[in-house]
Amino acid sequence: MLPWSADLAGRLDHHVIDSHALRGNPLGDPHERPLWVYVPPGYDDDVARRYPTVYVIQGYTGHIGMWANRTAFRRPFPELADEVFATDDVPPAIVVYVDAWTAYGGSQFLNSPGTGQYHTYLCDEVVTWVDAHYRTIPTRDMRAITGKSSGGYGSMVTAMLRPEVFGALATHAGDALFETCYLPDFPSKARTLRDLYGRSYDAFLADFRSRTPLTRPDDELLIETYGYAAAYSADDDGTVRLPFDTNGALVPEVWERWLAWDPVRMARQNRYADALRSMRAIWIDAGNRDEFHLDLGATAFHQAVLDAGAPKERVHFELFDAGHGLIEYRYPLALGWLCRQLAS
Amino acid sequence: MLPWSADLAGRLDHHVIDSHALRGNPLGDPHERPLWVYVPPGYDDDVARRYPTVYVIQGYTGHIGMWANRTAFRRPFPELADEVFATDDVPPAIVVYVDAWTAYGGSQFLNSPGTGQYHTYLCDEVVTWVDAHYRTIPTRDMRAITGKSSGGYGSMVTAMLRPEVFGALATHAGDALFETCYLPDFPSKARTLRDLYGRSYDAFLADFRSRTPLTRPDDELLIETYGYAAAYSADDDGTVRLPFDTNGALVPEVWERWLAWDPVRMARQNRYADALRSMRAIWIDAGNRDEFHLDLGATAFHQAVLDAGAPKERVHFELFDAGHGLIEYRYPLALGWLCRQLAS
Amino acid sequence: MLPWSADLAGRLDHHVIDSHALRGNPLGDPHERPLWVYVPPGYDDDVARRYPTVYVIQGYTGHIGMWANRTAFRRPFPELADEVFATDDVPPAIVVYVDAWTAYGGSQFLNSPGTGQYHTYLCDEVVTWVDAHYRTIPTRDMRAITGKSSGGYGSMVTAMLRPEVFGALATHAGDALFETCYLPDFPSKARTLRDLYGRSYDAFLADFRSRTPLTRPDDELLIETYGYAAAYSADDDGTVRLPFDTNGALVPEVWERWLAWDPVRMARQNRYADALRSMRAIWIDAGNRDEFHLDLGATAFHQAVLDAGAPKERVHFELFDAGHGLIEYRYPLALGWLCRQLAS
Amino acid sequence: MLPWSADLAGRLDHHVIDSHALRGNPLGDPHERPLWVYVPPGYDDDVARRYPTVYVIQGYTGHIGMWANRTAFRRPFPELADEVFATDDVPPAIVVYVDAWTAYGGSQFLNSPGTGQYHTYLCDEVVTWVDAHYRTIPTRDMRAITGKSSGGYGSMVTAMLRPEVFGALATHAGDALFETCYLPDFPSKARTLRDLYGRSYDAFLADFRSRTPLTRPDDELLIETYGYAAAYSADDDGTVRLPFDTNGALVPEVWERWLAWDPVRMARQNRYADALRSMRAIWIDAGNRDEFHLDLGATAFHQAVLDAGAPKERVHFELFDAGHGLIEYRYPLALGWLCRQLAS
């Protein structure tokens, strides 16, 4: 009964995974995490058949429950993904929806003393669990990772960090080229901290936690940036270092720590260039009006991928006419392409 | 396991109601409609007890499935509503979530040859069904209606039109004072039609239906305005009359038809003033930075309510510091207040 | 020595005219007014030759001294106008720059008890003075009036009101179709008055006069709207009536007084349609991104002009790619065209 | 006859200075430059008296002719400056208005192979000429330099570079803390170059020169940034190096050249810290809503000035409620303060 709900041709299982890596995480976030696993039509009919797996991760402030959100005139991605396998000539795959929410709104899918061991959780725990519980083809050549925004970021860096786990990736408007996607907003954040919080991030955080969140100006931008810093530049003791000071001036030693995690810069390092060259499929796209300039990041990452020696036939690059929001209709395009590439 | 899901202290039942009024509606929208009914904690324990009922309706482009949507750092209204009864000292009530979606994104909860008999469906079918299936106190004195934006509009006009059905209302940023909330956007719509669609609304509608919706500039504004016109100024044969011409000039005879449905103007008519005066509770609020100037509409409606003779102690009016979006934290405030007023 | 200054091929005379009509004007503005008269190259050589005259009037908040303003990479209109006659194959004309500044920033070139007798001053005093002091061809067929924004407005209405004085007009982004150019901003003005001035225009005016003007939000919009009201809807005793109340609601009886001065609506009246039909040249243009939607007004006025029976060959209509500002490069195009039309 | 013109209590002389330093400048800009010198009331009465001198420089896209521009409800700075001496209890001074326009819209008052020797022209030629032609007190202790935006920038760096020439400075919203005022706009510039000019600045420049300037999106931002690069990072042969590449990525070696000219960073070097400590007066202000975040730059520069050891009583720092534009009413405040400080 559209638009209120839909039956799937495949099946979406809801699990909870108990993560060892996330136990005792510094933010006190749960170590038991929801995990959704989708099996394509026919999975239950041919019990000997094994499938490639596509891991799907989310953008900042996303948690797994939001995959069920419905918006006007649109359908949720799990339904679009189901349709890819139900109606298109696409080789079937298992699709895994992974949650990496934190109290700051996200983890960037990295291990950090500021947030927790989300990289280990994703690559070592979730993948192992899925391979143990579903009929996957448990090889890196048959695993892809995809996401949008911070999820696109996570796809890029996770594939570079762990090419033995993932052999393909897709990034939609993924965070990249940090001087274009993050840095331009630092001045207005510094100003908001000055005008509303006595130049103190701690004062903001205390206030944010004390009231209905997202009701004051720049709430979202301020919490996000803090979360990025917690992921990119937290000290071993968990202290979060910010890349700009109370005047908005860059703090070079912290900013360098951020840049070390920029996919565009990582891709220029031999280790990660090797990983990219080994990928069986790399999809890169972004809207040409992206409010965070992630079209520039996508273009720069694409160039770095080609410079790393990735064969052109395994790389899809596209700028499309859109901003950052409301682009979930792009996800099934990459999903179908990834599945075809994995099967080829 | 927050923030992904929550158990309710009460119970939320999902039904489908088969509407006679919506059969054969002009847009071909379903006549079988989802209906959610929430019963408060204790409902199943004391089977003799009867309860007041609060009907909840949605803003434009809202459909019932969206009540389950989760957003970062926030909780869905059904959980907030449950908490009102679970933790606050609020007299319990049944809460009914009504769907009035159309192919244009909404119905304004009116009967119209342009969209369908949504007023009849709401007031005569849904209410009757709920009274028949739940232990309500089936009197107007024990029924309230509440909503935000177009849902606030629906609450105002429905209570004025049918005071024998509803004895209380709440409106959050409800559409009102049409020259401030609708008219200012007409010129940019006319311009978009000129620049993208050869000055033709039909060309827009055809295009809108042929592709992924909400990907082109002003998609949302254009479809919304068409939907308002379908609700306010459709001819008997279903022809939708627009209140502005291809140059953006007002079409006075159509605009007058819109104004006849403006809550501020309705409230100045004797019949509706009588209805308002009879209300046991009227909650009116809006954000003081509302992008559609609905704070002005709220203020004007409040004045009209007082001028109609509604006693001050039964009227709550408030402008709060916010825009139009992300104000669902206001809904439980009104819900609790309404329940207390109904019980008093 | 560009860009700092320029010599003219013609001559620009600076005069002061002592207006009887403006004596005792209600705002205490000067009745002695600056008047600039430009004579084209050759004027002093052939002392028997007589010339057509083009009157140039300014937009809101413009006063005559601003014609000398220089902006980066651009040249002032008097230099561009001089170039039209110096280098193009354009029949020479006298160009008269008229000042109609008031303490509210403008007069709309009308007679009003709220501002003064600016229409009389322009049509009866300035024209007479120029004809007396310069070798004009003193007939309506050889007089044009042109301007931008409120100056375009003044050109349209002055030519309609006084076809025996002016036989041609040009309007660049002239105020027209009042529901598109004025009305959309009323709500935000009402809100600003509420938030900053206790809902009182008098409080705003007192504050505006007490400090450096244009330093507070909406200063310009608030003073402009008051000035328009002073021009369009002042009572005989000078009381200024506003077209919206403290909630932003339209005040119909005042708004009707405004609409009576809308060029689009005036052009539909027989008297003014006759005037338009009699024009020897009508230039109408606007930027297609005009922030005040004056492209819509231009289109509607153009349609009204054609409907009035003005021959197409005497009408130039054009939307160009621009907003409302920085369009002075359009003025010489109209000037040259007008001069050719007058000479034809 | 305000607001059209004004008589001065003092006298404003218009000169042309023939600069040797600007001969053969790379942009072909004139080496003969307009120079305006204002002498205060009484200058001609007591021919033995000598005066301090305040040099006034302009923001980007400013040329000297613009000091005569009139805007609604405001007065040009030369009139405001005259009033400072005419009506306030301020020690009189000579005020010198210097032109440093270039074909790119400005020079940043530096010597550069990309634009010309504007620093030499200002410090060695203009100052010498003024001392030779007017009764100045020709010592650094009796010379100040002031300006807004790029003029504020020029005041900061010129005083640091040449403390033997200038003993005091004022900066209103001066360019500073380059990562906050310049860098945030680089991505949108890169995008505009991509979308409109095939990623080529040369294509933009050719187009800009071929048509009416400032009619296309981002014209002003693109020409400005090119001008900054011409001032900060031109090679010896005049080649202009840009601090971002076609993807918007920072080019570190060029960006470092820019940062070497950042007043905040310069002030941390011993040589320039010594200069700042030697200043007799330093005025720093900015609007707290400055669109280029120059309030952050002002705050950082102020901190650097204090850290350099400048005595607090010689430093005035203030953030006021404004954006970047329409703040010329601030200039006379600094002018009066500077004159008092010089005289003390």
Side-chain angles (χ1 to χ4, degrees):
Chain A
M1 186 188 268
L2 284 170
W4 304 283
S5 62
D7 292 326
L8 299 180
R11 192 183 75 228
L12 186 64
D13 300 333
H14 289 217
H15 301 285
V16 171
I17 182 171
D18 186 349
S19 164
H20 289 269
L22 297 185
R23 280 181 194 257
N25 68 73
L27 298 180
D29 287 311
H31 58 87
E32 293 187 316
R33 288 298 174 114
L35 182 73
W36 296 359
V37 182
Y38 167 87
V39 295
Y43 182 89
D44 296 326
D45 303 328
D46 178 355
V47 296
R49 184 169 179 181
R50 290 190 162 268
Y51 297 84
T53 321
V54 180
Y55 288 79
V56 182
I57 54 180
Q58 292 175 297
Y60 215 82
T61 70
H63 63 65
I64 202 168
M66 294 185 198
W67 284 123
N69 285 0
R70 310 189 80 81
T71 59
F73 304 107
R74 297 276 182 99
R75 296 161 58 201
F77 174 59
E79 296 178 18
L80 300 175
D82 177 66
E83 194 177 56
V84 165
F85 300 114
T87 67
D88 294 354
D89 181 25
V90 167
I94 292 166
V95 181
V96 181
Y97 298 90
V98 183
D99 186 87
W101 169 262
T102 74
Y104 296 146
S107 66
Q108 301 302 86
F109 311 94
L110 299 176
N111 288 342
S112 165
T115 53
Q117 303 297 97
Y118 285 88
H119 172 76
T120 299
Y121 152 74
L122 166 60
C123 294
D124 298 309
E125 296 182 330
V126 172
V127 170
T128 303
W129 191 96
V130 169
D131 284 341
H133 291 78
Y134 286 86
R135 297 197 313 278
T136 64
I137 308 175
T139 65
R140 61 89 69 181
D141 275 359
M142 286 296 171
R143 274 194 216 100
I145 185 164
T146 183
K148 179 225 171 177
S149 199
S150 285
Y153 171 82
S155 297
M156 289 185 276
V157 297
T158 303
M160 283 192 278
L161 292 165
R162 301 294 290 274
E164 80 283 7
V165 178
F166 294 103
L169 76 95
T171 169
H172 304 285
D175 300 12
L177 203 62
F178 285 5
E179 68 267 51
T180 62
C181 66
Y182 293 148
L183 204 157
D185 285 332
F186 291 170
S188 61
K189 290 179 220 284
R191 187 184 274 172
T192 302
L193 289 171
R194 176 193 75 194
D195 290 345
L196 299 183
Y197 300 106
R199 302 174 186 273
S200 161
Y201 236 119
D202 287 340
F204 161 72
L205 290 169
D207 180 60
F208 185 80
R209 290 168 180 141
S210 73
R211 55 173 169 83
T212 305
L214 308 185
T215 51
R216 298 195 70 182
D218 285 330
D219 264 9
E220 187 161 2
L221 284 176
L222 287 175
I223 194 67
E224 257 189 42
T225 299
Y226 201 82
Y228 298 149
Y232 299 144
S233 53
D235 292 346
D236 287 345
D237 66 357
T239 304
V240 174
R241 301 290 174 190
L242 289 161
F244 56 91
D245 72 10
T246 57
N247 286 334
L250 270 188
V251 178
E253 61 274 18
V254 181
W255 182 237
E256 286 300 321
R257 294 172 69 179
W258 283 47
L259 291 182
W261 287 110
D262 182 348
V264 174
R265 285 163 173 89
M266 290 173 68
R268 301 282 178 195
Q269 299 178 41
N270 287 342
R271 172 188 166 192
Y272 301 127
D274 291 346
L276 288 170
R277 193 168 49 249
S278 78
M279 289 291 131
R280 302 188 60 215
I282 300 177
W283 173 290
I284 305 162
D285 71 11
N288 56 4
R289 297 178 269 114
D290 189 286
E291 287 79 359
F292 305 100
H293 310 108
L294 294 170
D295 49 334
L296 299 176
T299 306
F301 184 68
H302 175 233
Q303 190 57 52
V305 161
L306 295 184
D307 291 348
K312 282 196 175 182
E313 63 274 16
R314 296 193 202 147
V315 179
H316 178 93
F317 173 67
E318 191 178 349
L319 298 186
F320 50 93
D321 184 29
H324 192 67
L326 283 175
I327 63 169
E328 88 294 333
Y329 64 94
R330 300 286 309 175
Y331 309 171
L333 302 178
L335 178 65
W337 184 83
L338 284 174
C339 291
R340 283 197 186 91
Q341 294 291 116
L342 293 186
S344 69
Chain B
M1 186 188 267
L2 281 171
W4 303 285
S5 62
D7 292 327
L8 298 181
R11 191 182 76 228
L12 187 63
D13 300 332
H14 290 218
H15 301 284
V16 171
I17 181 171
D18 187 349
S19 164
H20 289 268
L22 298 184
R23 281 180 192 259
N25 68 72
L27 298 179
D29 287 311
H31 58 88
E32 294 188 314
R33 288 299 175 112
L35 182 73
W36 296 359
V37 183
Y38 167 88
V39 295
Y43 182 87
D44 295 325
D45 302 328
D46 178 354
V47 297
R49 185 168 180 182
R50 290 190 162 268
Y51 297 84
T53 321
V54 180
Y55 288 79
V56 182
I57 54 180
Q58 291 175 299
Y60 215 81
T61 72
H63 63 65
I64 202 169
M66 294 185 197
W67 283 123
N69 286 359
R70 310 190 80 81
T71 59
F73 304 108
R74 297 276 182 99
R75 297 161 58 201
F77 174 59
E79 296 178 18
L80 300 175
D82 178 66
E83 195 177 58
V84 165
F85 300 114
T87 66
D88 293 354
D89 181 25
V90 167
I94 292 166
V95 181
V96 181
Y97 298 89
V98 184
D99 186 87
W101 169 264
T102 75
Y104 296 146
S107 66
Q108 300 302 83
F109 311 94
L110 299 176
N111 287 343
S112 164
T115 53
Q117 303 297 96
Y118 286 88
H119 173 77
T120 299
Y121 152 74
L122 166 59
C123 293
D124 297 308
E125 296 183 330
V126 172
V127 169
T128 303
W129 191 95
V130 170
D131 284 341
H133 290 78
Y134 286 86
R135 299 198 311 276
T136 64
I137 308 174
T139 65
R140 63 88 68 181
D141 276 359
M142 285 298 170
R143 275 195 217 100
I145 185 164
T146 183
K148 178 225 172 179
S149 198
S150 284
Y153 172 81
S155 297
M156 289 184 277
V157 296
T158 303
M160 283 192 278
L161 291 165
R162 301 294 291 271
E164 81 284 8
V165 179
F166 295 103
L169 76 95
T171 169
H172 306 285
D175 300 12
L177 204 62
F178 285 4
E179 68 267 51
T180 62
C181 67
Y182 293 147
L183 203 157
D185 285 331
F186 290 170
S188 61
K189 290 179 220 282
R191 186 184 274 172
T192 301
L193 289 171
R194 177 193 72 192
D195 290 345
L196 299 183
Y197 300 105
R199 302 175 186 272
S200 162
Y201 235 119
D202 287 339
F204 161 72
L205 291 169
D207 181 61
F208 184 80
R209 291 168 180 142
S210 72
R211 55 173 171 83
T212 305
L214 307 185
T215 52
R216 299 194 70 182
D218 286 329
D219 264 9
E220 188 160 1
L221 284 176
L222 287 175
I223 194 68
E224 256 189 44
T225 299
Y226 201 82
Y228 298 150
Y232 299 145
S233 54
D235 291 347
D236 287 346
D237 65 358
T239 304
V240 174
R241 301 290 173 191
L242 289 162
F244 56 92
D245 72 12
T246 57
N247 287 333
L250 269 189
V251 178
E253 61 273 20
V254 181
W255 182 237
E256 285 301 321
R257 294 172 69 179
W258 283 47
L259 292 182
W261 287 111
D262 181 348
V264 173
R265 285 164 173 87
M266 288 173 69
R268 301 283 177 195
Q269 298 178 41
N270 287 342
R271 172 186 164 192
Y272 301 127
D274 292 347
L276 289 169
R277 194 169 48 251
S278 79
M279 290 291 132
R280 303 190 56 216
I282 300 177
W283 173 290
I284 305 163
D285 71 12
N288 57 4
R289 297 178 269 114
D290 189 286
E291 287 81 359
F292 305 99
H293 310 109
L294 294 170
D295 49 334
L296 299 176
T299 305
F301 184 68
H302 176 233
Q303 190 57 53
V305 161
L306 295 185
D307 291 348
K312 282 195 175 183
E313 63 275 16
R314 296 193 203 149
V315 179
H316 178 93
F317 173 68
E318 191 178 351
L319 298 186
F320 50 93
D321 183 29
H324 192 66
L326 283 175
I327 62 169
E328 88 293 335
Y329 64 94
R330 300 287 309 177
Y331 309 171
L333 302 178
L335 177 64
W337 184 83
L338 284 174
C339 290
R340 282 197 187 91
Q341 294 292 117
L342 294 186
S344 70
Chain C
M1 185 187 267
L2 284 169
W4 303 285
S5 63
D7 291 328
L8 298 180
R11 193 182 74 229
L12 188 63
D13 300 333
H14 290 218
H15 301 283
V16 172
I17 181 171
D18 186 350
S19 163
H20 290 269
L22 298 185
R23 280 179 193 258
N25 67 74
L27 299 179
D29 287 310
H31 58 88
E32 293 187 315
R33 288 298 175 114
L35 181 73
W36 297 0
V37 182
Y38 167 87
V39 295
Y43 182 89
D44 295 326
D45 302 329
D46 178 355
V47 297
R49 183 168 180 180
R50 289 189 163 269
Y51 296 85
T53 321
V54 180
Y55 288 78
V56 182
I57 55 180
Q58 292 175 298
Y60 215 81
T61 71
H63 63 66
I64 202 168
M66 294 184 197
W67 283 123
N69 286 359
R70 310 190 80 81
T71 58
F73 303 108
R74 297 276 182 98
R75 296 161 59 202
F77 174 58
E79 295 178 19
L80 299 175
D82 178 66
E83 195 177 54
V84 165
F85 300 114
T87 67
D88 294 354
D89 181 24
V90 167
I94 292 166
V95 181
V96 180
Y97 298 90
V98 183
D99 186 88
W101 169 263
T102 75
Y104 296 146
S107 67
Q108 301 302 84
F109 310 95
L110 298 175
N111 288 343
S112 165
T115 54
Q117 303 298 97
Y118 285 89
H119 172 77
T120 299
Y121 152 74
L122 165 60
C123 294
D124 298 308
E125 296 182 330
V126 172
V127 170
T128 304
W129 191 96
V130 169
D131 284 341
H133 291 77
Y134 286 86
R135 298 197 312 277
T136 63
I137 308 175
T139 67
R140 63 89 67 181
D141 276 358
M142 287 295 170
R143 272 193 217 102
I145 184 164
T146 184
K148 178 222 170 178
S149 199
S150 284
Y153 171 81
S155 296
M156 289 184 277
V157 296
T158 304
M160 283 192 278
L161 291 165
R162 301 293 290 273
E164 81 283 8
V165 178
F166 294 103
L169 77 94
T171 168
H172 304 286
D175 300 12
L177 204 61
F178 285 4
E179 68 268 51
T180 61
C181 67
Y182 293 148
L183 203 157
D185 286 331
F186 290 170
S188 61
K189 290 179 220 281
R191 187 184 274 171
T192 302
L193 289 171
R194 177 193 74 192
D195 290 345
L196 299 182
Y197 300 105
R199 301 174 187 271
S200 161
Y201 235 119
D202 286 340
F204 160 72
L205 291 169
D207 180 61
F208 184 80
R209 291 169 180 141
S210 73
R211 54 172 170 84
T212 306
L214 308 185
T215 52
R216 299 196 70 182
D218 287 328
D219 264 10
E220 188 161 1
L221 284 176
L222 287 175
I223 194 68
E224 258 189 41
T225 299
Y226 201 82
Y228 297 149
Y232 299 144
S233 53
D235 291 346
D236 287 345
D237 67 356
T239 303
V240 174
R241 301 291 173 191
L242 289 162
F244 56 91
D245 72 11
T246 58
N247 287 334
L250 270 189
V251 178
E253 62 273 19
V254 181
W255 181 237
E256 286 300 321
R257 294 172 69 179
W258 282 48
L259 291 182
W261 286 111
D262 182 348
V264 173
R265 287 166 172 85
M266 289 172 69
R268 300 282 177 197
Q269 299 178 42
N270 288 342
R271 172 187 167 192
Y272 301 127
D274 292 347
L276 289 170
R277 194 167 49 250
S278 80
M279 289 290 131
R280 304 189 59 215
I282 300 178
W283 173 290
I284 305 163
D285 70 12
N288 57 3
R289 297 179 269 113
D290 189 286
E291 287 80 357
F292 305 99
H293 310 108
L294 295 171
D295 48 334
L296 298 176
T299 305
F301 184 68
H302 175 232
Q303 190 57 54
V305 161
L306 295 184
D307 291 348
K312 282 196 176 184
E313 64 273 16
R314 294 193 203 148
V315 178
H316 178 94
F317 173 67
E318 191 178 351
L319 298 187
F320 50 93
D321 184 28
H324 192 67
L326 283 174
I327 61 169
E328 88 294 334
Y329 64 94
R330 300 285 310 176
Y331 309 171
L333 302 177
L335 177 65
W337 184 83
L338 284 175
C339 290
R340 283 196 186 92
Q341 295 291 116
L342 294 186
S344 69
Chain D
M1 187 188 267
L2 282 172
W4 305 284
S5 62
D7 292 327
L8 299 180
R11 191 183 77 228
L12 186 64
D13 300 333
H14 290 218
H15 301 284
V16 172
I17 181 171
D18 186 349
S19 164
H20 290 268
L22 297 184
R23 282 180 192 258
N25 68 73
L27 299 179
D29 287 312
H31 58 88
E32 293 188 317
R33 289 298 175 114
L35 181 73
W36 295 0
V37 183
Y38 167 87
V39 295
Y43 182 88
D44 295 326
D45 302 329
D46 178 355
V47 295
R49 185 168 179 180
R50 290 189 162 270
Y51 297 85
T53 321
V54 180
Y55 289 78
V56 181
I57 55 180
Q58 291 174 299
Y60 215 81
T61 70
H63 63 65
I64 202 168
M66 295 185 198
W67 283 123
N69 285 359
R70 310 190 79 82
T71 58
F73 303 108
R74 297 277 182 99
R75 296 160 59 200
F77 174 58
E79 296 179 16
L80 300 175
D82 178 67
E83 195 177 58
V84 165
F85 301 114
T87 66
D88 294 354
D89 181 25
V90 166
I94 292 166
V95 181
V96 181
Y97 298 89
V98 183
D99 186 88
W101 169 263
T102 75
Y104 295 146
S107 66
Q108 301 300 87
F109 311 94
L110 299 176
N111 288 342
S112 164
T115 53
Q117 303 297 96
Y118 285 88
H119 172 77
T120 299
Y121 152 74
L122 166 60
C123 293
D124 297 308
E125 296 182 331
V126 171
V127 170
T128 303
W129 191 96
V130 169
D131 285 341
H133 291 77
Y134 285 86
R135 297 197 314 274
T136 64
I137 308 174
T139 66
R140 63 89 67 181
D141 275 359
M142 286 297 170
R143 275 194 216 100
I145 184 164
T146 185
K148 179 226 171 177
S149 199
S150 284
Y153 171 81
S155 296
M156 289 185 276
V157 297
T158 304
M160 283 192 278
L161 291 165
R162 301 294 291 273
E164 82 282 9
V165 179
F166 294 104
L169 77 94
T171 169
H172 305 286
D175 299 12
L177 204 61
F178 284 4
E179 68 268 49
T180 61
C181 66
Y182 293 148
L183 204 157
D185 285 331
F186 290 170
S188 62
K189 289 179 221 283
R191 186 183 274 171
T192 303
L193 288 171
R194 177 193 72 192
D195 290 345
L196 299 183
Y197 300 105
R199 302 176 186 273
S200 162
Y201 236 120
D202 286 340
F204 161 71
L205 291 169
D207 180 62
F208 184 80
R209 290 168 181 142
S210 73
R211 56 176 169 80
T212 305
L214 307 185
T215 52
R216 298 195 69 182
D218 286 331
D219 265 9
E220 187 160 2
L221 284 176
L222 287 175
I223 194 68
E224 255 189 44
T225 299
Y226 201 83
Y228 298 150
Y232 299 145
S233 54
D235 292 346
D236 287 346
D237 67 357
T239 304
V240 174
R241 301 290 172 191
L242 289 162
F244 56 92
D245 72 11
T246 57
N247 286 334
L250 269 190
V251 178
E253 61 273 19
V254 180
W255 181 238
E256 285 301 321
R257 293 172 70 179
W258 282 48
L259 292 181
W261 287 110
D262 181 348
V264 174
R265 285 163 173 89
M266 289 173 69
R268 300 284 177 194
Q269 297 178 40
N270 286 342
R271 173 187 165 192
Y272 301 127
D274 291 347
L276 288 169
R277 194 168 48 250
S278 79
M279 289 291 132
R280 303 188 59 214
I282 300 178
W283 174 290
I284 305 163
D285 70 13
N288 57 4
R289 296 179 270 113
D290 189 286
E291 287 79 359
F292 305 99
H293 310 108
L294 294 171
D295 48 333
L296 299 176
T299 306
F301 185 69
H302 176 231
Q303 190 58 52
V305 161
L306 294 184
D307 291 349
K312 282 195 176 182
E313 64 274 17
R314 295 192 203 150
V315 179
H316 179 93
F317 173 69
E318 191 178 351
L319 298 186
F320 51 93
D321 184 29
H324 192 67
L326 284 175
I327 62 169
E328 88 293 333
Y329 64 93
R330 300 285 310 175
Y331 309 172
L333 302 177
L335 177 65
W337 185 83
L338 284 174
C339 290
R340 283 197 186 91
Q341 295 291 116
L342 293 186
S344 70

